[in-house]
Amino acid sequence: MQPQGLLPQLRKITVAELVQLPQKKIHTDDDVVAWHKTRGYRDFWLFLLRLNEAVVNHAVPRVDGSCSPTAAVLISILDELDSWIDDIPPLRSPQRFGNLAFRTWGDRLTQKSDQLLERLLGPELRAVIPYVKPIFEISFGSFLRMDYGTGHETSFAMFLCCLTLVRFFEPSIDQERELVLRVFVRYMRLCWRLQDVYKLEPAGSHGVWGLDDYSFLGYVFGSAQLREQAEFPVSAILRLPLPQDNLYCMCITRIHQVKHGPFHEHSSQLYAIATGVPNWTKVNSGLLKMYEGEVLSKRVVVQHLPLGGLLSLDED
């Protein structure tokens, strides 16, 4: 992997350059292959690599501190979305998975997304709203199927990428680190609460053979954080309690909160990594390859992503 300083700069896009709004474009496996050859896909993959490198040897802040105004306003919006859960309690009727109140939460998001995005972007970037709104709205789960999975998580990462392409966020190492350690962590905590309160099903789960029922990027970024920390071996994740200033450890702790029984049985992939991969550099590079292969290359995962617009479908 290349150090962050050796990665290319993310390009800048103006709304004047755009000719189409994002929409669902992936219907077949061939469409997935074609998407991987587009400029938008290359932009997104470069963005993820830059985020990954930005957090090497950096911890999640233990207390809320100052952050950039752009990150602060997005975090305040995620806080507001979290507060809606208190306003919209789960229905008491028997529902094993997918409490119908989640659709009410989703309806409020759909109704207020323009207002939220205008508050985020301000008058200077108001024209960007139609290009990011569809991506933002599906970042929190499917309100029809009442599930959440790696495709929704990917959509939020794409939302952050689009905001960086238009330079709402700057592609600087400090800003990119902040996007992971502050913004993405806040998003992750919100999605955990949505899953718990509304009993969302995992979308496209591989069962015990998958990395995680709901998410992936937390493990990628968390393994990057640990790449230069030899004093914390990969096998250390098997010994609880785990430090909560690392995304990988936060995700493992989360698994122990929602699953019961032997870890090697319900999380065999993570157990295999802990017992079979020698260092965090190999874990990180392996997870990046796995994310591209098991998430971004799976039609059933990416078929709902709105593509085009800022994520150009022009062949690269």
Side-chain angles (χ1 to χ4, degrees), residues 236-257:
I237 66 101
L238 298 175
R239 298 187 291 274
L240 301 179
L242 294 171
Q244 295 304 290
D245 58 357
N246 172 266
L247 276 87
Y248 199 101
C249 294
M250 291 167 66
C251 291
I252 296 290
T253 300
R254 165 72 178 171
I255 285 180
H256 284 287
Q257 292 169 347

Side-chain angles (χ1 to χ4, degrees), residues 8 13 15 28 33 47 89 96 102 104-105 130 136 150 157 180 186 228 245 247 255 257 273 276 298 308:
I13 300 176
V15 176
T28 67
V33 174
F47 177 71
R96 183 164 178 263
F102 183 55
T104 305
W105 189 95
F136 176 70
T150 51
V180 177
R186 183 65 188 92
E228 296 179 2
D245 58 357
L247 276 87
I255 285 180
Q257 292 169 347
I273 291 170
K298 297 297 185 183

Side-chain angles (χ1 to χ4, degrees), residues 73 77 80-81 84 108-109 112-121 129 136:
V73 69
I77 287 171
E80 180 173 338
L81 298 185
W84 294 356
R108 184 182 291 191
L109 176 66
K112 295 197 171 187
S113 57
D114 282 292
Q115 174 187 334
L116 292 170
L117 291 171
E118 185 157 348
R119 184 173 115 205
L120 176 70
L121 297 171
I129 291 176
F136 176 70

Side-chain angles (χ1 to χ4, degrees), residues 4-283:
Q4 213 260 9
L6 298 180
L7 288 169
Q9 180 64 276
L10 198 69
R11 68 195 180 106
K12 181 179 180 180
I13 300 176
T14 63
V15 176
E17 301 173 43
L18 304 177
V19 295
Q20 63 175 152
L21 292 171
Q23 53 188 294
K24 295 177 184 178
K25 289 287 187 178
I26 295 176
H27 307 288
T28 67
D29 291 341
D30 288 341
D31 292 338
V32 178
V33 174
W35 175 49
H36 281 218
K37 297 176 182 178
T38 65
R39 195 170 189 183
Y41 182 86
R42 307 288 179 169
D43 287 338
F44 180 57
W45 188 246
L46 172 60
F47 177 71
L48 290 180
L49 292 179
R50 290 180 63 88
L51 295 188
N52 186 72
E53 296 304 311
V55 299
V56 173
N57 209 29
H58 285 271
V60 176
R62 291 184 180 273
V63 294
D64 292 336
S66 61
C67 58
S68 68
T70 49
V73 69
L74 180 49
I75 290 171
S76 75
I77 287 171
L78 295 173
D79 289 342
E80 180 173 338
L81 298 185
D82 197 308
S83 73
W84 294 356
I85 301 174
D86 299 321
D87 298 340
I88 307 169
L91 301 179
R92 294 187 178 276
S93 56
Q95 297 164 77
R96 183 164 178 263
F97 286 109
N99 193 284
L100 289 169
F102 183 55
R103 290 183 179 164
T104 305
W105 189 95
D107 288 341
R108 184 182 291 191
L109 176 66
T110 303
Q111 293 162 9
K112 295 197 171 187
S113 57
D114 282 292
Q115 174 187 334
L116 292 170
L117 291 171
E118 185 157 348
R119 184 173 115 205
L120 176 70
L121 297 171
E124 300 84 2
L125 288 173
R126 184 182 289 121
V128 172
I129 291 176
Y131 296 94
V132 297
K133 177 182 172 181
I135 304 170
F136 176 70
E137 288 181 343
I138 68 164
S139 295
F140 306 96
S142 168
F143 309 123
L144 177 63
R145 299 183 305 278
M146 293 187 292
D147 62 15
Y148 176 91
T150 51
H152 304 107
E153 177 188 62
T154 296
S155 189
F156 187 75
M158 287 182 165
F159 174 67
L160 298 180
C161 178
C162 289
L163 295 184
T164 307
L165 287 168
V166 297
R167 294 302 186 265
F168 176 76
F169 294 122
E170 290 297 324
S172 66
I173 190 168
D174 290 339
Q175 180 93 89
E176 288 162 340
R177 184 177 302 132
E178 188 176 58
L179 288 182
V180 177
L181 301 184
R182 290 191 179 276
V183 175
F184 185 79
V185 167
R186 183 65 188 92
Y187 163 78
M188 194 166 65
R189 292 187 185 281
L190 166 60
C191 290
W192 286 346
R193 190 167 181 229
L194 288 169
Q195 291 158 30
D196 290 345
V197 172
Y198 299 124
K199 300 189 183 306
L200 304 185
E201 289 194 80
S205 170
H206 293 280
V208 297
W209 304 111
L211 188 72
D212 186 294
D213 284 344
Y214 293 97
S215 60
F216 204 113
L217 286 174
Y219 297 96
V220 173
F221 298 143
S223 60
Q225 287 178 270
L226 293 166
R227 267 180 18 203
E228 296 179 2
Q229 298 187 27
E231 71 279 5
F232 189 83
V234 180
S235 60
I237 66 101
L238 298 175
R239 298 187 291 274
L240 301 179
L242 294 171
Q244 295 304 290
D245 58 357
N246 172 266
L247 276 87
Y248 199 101
C249 294
M250 291 167 66
C251 291
I252 296 290
T253 300
R254 165 72 178 171
I255 285 180
H256 284 287
Q257 292 169 347
V258 299
K259 291 192 173 184
H260 304 286
F263 185 74
H264 70 273
E265 290 184 2
H266 60 62
S267 301
S268 58
Q269 279 265 25
L270 290 166
Y271 181 80
I273 291 170
T275 56
V277 183
N279 56 64
W280 287 109
T281 297
K282 289 189 178 296
V283 173

